[in-house]
Amino acid sequence: YVQEYGSDCPAPNTNRIYVSYLDSVRLLRATPEQGARTVVYHALLAGYLRWCASRGFERAHIWVAPPQAGDDYIFHAKPRDGQHARPMTCAKLRQWYERMLARAGDMGVVRSVRELYDDVADLESMRLFPMFEGDFWPDKMRAILTAAATQEGRAAGAAAAAGADALSATTDRSAS
């Protein structure tokens, strides 16, 4: 799955694409079997990135986390064999994408590769954090903000209660 946020999209998503899932179930038969699928998938992704760049997109974000057990994204009926029982580890999937991006860099498609953290480390506001619909971060941010609001509400309630107790105590002392 990909999402494209063009020049008409407000910042910070302007001219960004987001590759959220690439389902590479072993339905592609290739010779030799080892590595041939990777070459095809790398070429497809590099071609897609080149096409996006030609259309004015400036940044591509790729979600590098394997699916959880039981998750099916594009191919919902995966074969029940040993090859499809476990997804790649996060480290292996990350290496796979890094090799693809290095190859795309060699082809002149990708100028640089950065961690998301490097892009957002100096942000002064969460409003500058790129959010992609259906991604991990919007849900995570909502949960963080909800928890913070709940804590602030509890703190405000506790402060109000403490203030009422303190006011009440002050009133009692001044009355004596």
Side-chain angles (χ1 to χ4, degrees):
Y1 296 121
V2 298
Q3 297 173 32
E4 298 179 351
Y5 299 86
S7 59
D8 58 336
C9 183
N13 286 14
T14 309
N15 293 329
R16 294 177 188 252
I17 63 168
Y18 173 59
V19 178
S20 58
Y21 301 111
L22 175 66
D23 201 336
S24 60
V25 69
R26 291 178 177 95
L27 295 177
L28 172 67
R29 304 273 189 247
T31 304
E33 285 190 32
Q34 287 300 95
R37 285 181 334 107
T38 294
V39 171
V40 171
Y41 286 116
H42 281 189
L44 286 170
L45 276 171
Y48 174 69
L49 294 175
R50 181 183 304 276
W51 181 61
C52 287
S54 74
R55 294 171 38 231
F57 292 94
E58 299 167 356
R59 291 187 181 251
H61 300 268
I62 301 174
W63 180 250
V64 182
Q68 299 299 311
D71 285 352
D72 288 318
Y73 296 116
I74 297 170
F75 297 111
H76 296 286
K78 294 186 179 181
R80 294 183 187 266
D81 58 19
Q83 293 181 355
H84 298 91
R86 295 184 346 249
M88 286 186 195
T89 65
C90 194
K92 186 173 180 179
L93 186 58
R94 179 183 188 83
Q95 289 173 347
W96 190 92
Y97 277 112
E98 286 172 346
R99 286 193 312 273
M100 183 277 298
L101 292 168
R103 174 183 243 169
D106 293 343
M107 295 168 37
V109 175
V110 172
R111 283 183 289 174
S112 66
V113 177
R114 297 169 49 115
E115 298 284 335
L116 178 63
Y117 177 79
D118 295 333
D119 278 346
V120 300
D122 297 325
L123 293 182
E124 296 178 14
S125 168
M126 285 308 300
R127 294 176 193 267
L128 300 174
F129 189 91
M131 294 284 188
F132 307 112
E133 199 55 43
D135 184 29
F136 170 81
W137 292 111
D139 292 339
K140 184 68 169 175
M141 291 300 167
R142 281 185 204 101
I144 290 170
L145 293 173
T146 300
T150 301
Q151 283 182 333
E152 283 179 18
R154 286 183 191 148
D165 289 345
L167 179 60
S168 188
T170 302
T171 303
D172 290 344
R173 268 189 290 215
S174 62
S176 51

